[in-house]
Amino acid sequence: LFITHSAHAKTVSYTLELREEVVNFTGKNVRALTINHSLPAPTLEFQEGDDAVITVVNHLKEDSSVHWHGLLVPNDQDGVPGVTGPPIKGGTTFTYRFPIKQSGTY
Protein backbone atom coordinates (compact mmCIF):
# COMPACT_ATOMS: atom_id res chain seq x y z
CA LEU A 1 0.00 0.00 0.00
CA PHE A 2 1.52 3.31 -1.07
CA ILE A 3 0.11 6.63 0.06
CA THR A 4 1.11 10.19 -0.83
CA HIS A 5 -0.34 13.60 0.11
CA SER A 6 -2.58 15.51 -2.28
CA ALA A 7 -5.20 18.25 -2.19
CA HIS A 8 -7.20 16.41 -4.89
CA ALA A 9 -9.12 13.77 -2.93
CA LYS A 10 -11.09 11.23 -4.93
CA THR A 11 -12.56 7.76 -4.72
CA VAL A 12 -9.94 5.16 -5.64
CA SER A 13 -11.25 1.66 -6.35
CA TYR A 14 -9.49 -1.68 -6.65
CA THR A 15 -10.65 -5.26 -6.99
CA LEU A 16 -8.56 -7.95 -5.34
CA GLU A 17 -9.22 -11.55 -6.36
CA LEU A 18 -7.94 -14.19 -3.94
CA ARG A 19 -7.01 -17.56 -5.44
CA GLU A 20 -4.98 -20.64 -4.69
CA GLU A 21 -2.72 -21.25 -7.69
CA VAL A 22 0.40 -23.15 -8.63
CA VAL A 23 3.52 -20.96 -8.71
CA ASN A 24 7.10 -21.82 -9.53
CA PHE A 25 9.92 -19.55 -8.39
CA THR A 26 12.60 -22.17 -7.70
CA GLY A 27 12.01 -24.88 -10.28
CA LYS A 28 9.42 -26.61 -8.10
CA ASN A 29 5.65 -26.19 -8.42
CA VAL A 30 3.93 -25.23 -5.16
CA ARG A 31 0.42 -24.05 -4.32
CA ALA A 32 0.20 -20.50 -3.01
CA LEU A 33 -2.28 -17.75 -2.27
CA THR A 34 -2.26 -15.22 -5.10
CA ILE A 35 -3.99 -11.87 -5.39
CA ASN A 36 -4.98 -10.94 -8.95
CA HIS A 37 -2.86 -13.88 -10.17
CA SER A 38 0.19 -12.24 -8.56
CA LEU A 39 2.63 -13.07 -5.80
CA PRO A 40 3.43 -10.78 -4.11
CA ALA A 41 0.14 -8.92 -4.11
CA PRO A 42 -0.23 -5.80 -6.25
CA THR A 43 0.58 -2.37 -4.82
CA LEU A 44 -2.43 -0.20 -4.05
CA GLU A 45 -1.87 3.54 -4.36
CA PHE A 46 -3.89 6.30 -2.69
CA GLN A 47 -3.40 9.88 -1.66
CA GLU A 48 -4.22 11.25 1.76
CA GLY A 49 -7.87 12.32 1.76
CA ASP A 50 -8.94 9.76 -0.86
CA ASP A 51 -11.78 7.35 -0.22
CA ALA A 52 -10.59 3.77 -0.66
CA VAL A 53 -13.05 1.26 -2.12
CA ILE A 54 -11.50 -2.21 -2.28
CA THR A 55 -13.62 -5.13 -3.41
CA VAL A 56 -12.26 -8.52 -2.39
CA VAL A 57 -13.46 -11.53 -4.37
CA ASN A 58 -12.72 -14.72 -2.45
CA HIS A 59 -12.24 -17.56 -4.95
CA LEU A 60 -10.81 -19.73 -2.16
CA LYS A 61 -12.66 -22.60 -0.49
CA GLU A 62 -11.71 -21.11 2.87
CA ASP A 63 -12.90 -17.97 4.59
CA SER A 64 -10.53 -15.03 4.28
CA SER A 65 -10.05 -11.33 5.01
CA VAL A 66 -7.64 -8.47 4.43
CA HIS A 67 -6.10 -6.69 7.43
CA TRP A 68 -4.73 -3.21 6.70
CA HIS A 69 -1.50 -3.10 8.72
CA GLY A 70 -0.60 0.40 9.85
CA LEU A 71 -3.58 2.16 8.30
CA LEU A 72 -6.05 4.17 10.35
CA VAL A 73 -9.37 2.60 9.30
CA PRO A 74 -12.81 2.36 10.89
CA ASN A 75 -12.94 -0.66 13.22
CA ASP A 76 -15.50 -2.50 11.07
CA GLN A 77 -13.14 -2.27 8.06
CA ASP A 78 -10.04 -3.64 9.82
CA GLY A 79 -10.38 -7.16 8.43
CA VAL A 80 -9.76 -9.25 11.56
CA PRO A 81 -12.25 -12.15 11.23
CA GLY A 82 -14.41 -12.66 14.29
CA VAL A 83 -13.05 -9.52 15.96
CA THR A 84 -13.89 -6.53 13.74
CA GLY A 85 -16.30 -8.32 11.44
CA PRO A 86 -17.13 -11.64 9.84
CA PRO A 87 -14.72 -13.32 7.42
CA ILE A 88 -15.29 -13.24 3.67
CA LYS A 89 -16.78 -16.65 2.97
CA GLY A 90 -15.32 -18.73 0.15
CA GLY A 91 -17.02 -17.88 -3.14
CA THR A 92 -18.31 -14.49 -1.94
CA THR A 93 -17.31 -10.84 -2.22
CA PHE A 94 -16.85 -8.06 0.33
CA THR A 95 -16.13 -4.39 -0.27
CA TYR A 96 -13.97 -2.44 2.18
CA ARG A 97 -14.64 1.32 2.23
CA PHE A 98 -12.60 3.76 4.28
CA PRO A 99 -11.03 7.21 4.07
CA ILE A 100 -7.25 7.48 3.76
CA LYS A 101 -6.33 9.58 6.81
CA GLN A 102 -2.54 9.57 6.68
CA SER A 103 0.32 9.61 4.23
CA GLY A 104 3.30 7.28 3.93
CA THR A 105 4.09 3.77 2.76
CA TYR A 106 2.40 0.85 4.53
Side-chain angles (χ1 to χ4, degrees), residues 8-90:
H8 305 288
K10 60 190 174 303
T11 298
V12 179
S13 300
Y14 289 95
T15 298
L16 302 177
E17 298 199 22
L18 311 180
R19 289 183 171 83
E20 183 179 338
E21 298 182 277
V22 175
V23 297
N24 185 329
F25 295 110
T26 62
K28 180 179 178 185
N29 288 340
V30 295
R31 298 198 70 71
L33 172 68
T34 64
I35 300 178
N36 295 0
H37 302 289
S38 177
L39 183 65
T43 299
L44 309 183
E45 294 187 22
F46 305 93
Q47 295 182 348
E48 185 174 355
D50 286 350
D51 290 315
V53 177
I54 305 160
T55 301
V56 178
V57 182
N58 186 3
H59 295 285
L60 303 170
K61 295 177 184 175
E62 298 82 16
D63 296 350
S64 192
S65 69
V66 178
H67 174 64
W68 311 103
H69 282 273
L71 289 179
L72 302 174
V73 299
N75 192 55
D76 67 345
Q77 300 296 291
D78 198 29
V80 181
V83 177
T84 60
I88 304 167
K89 298 284 186 193

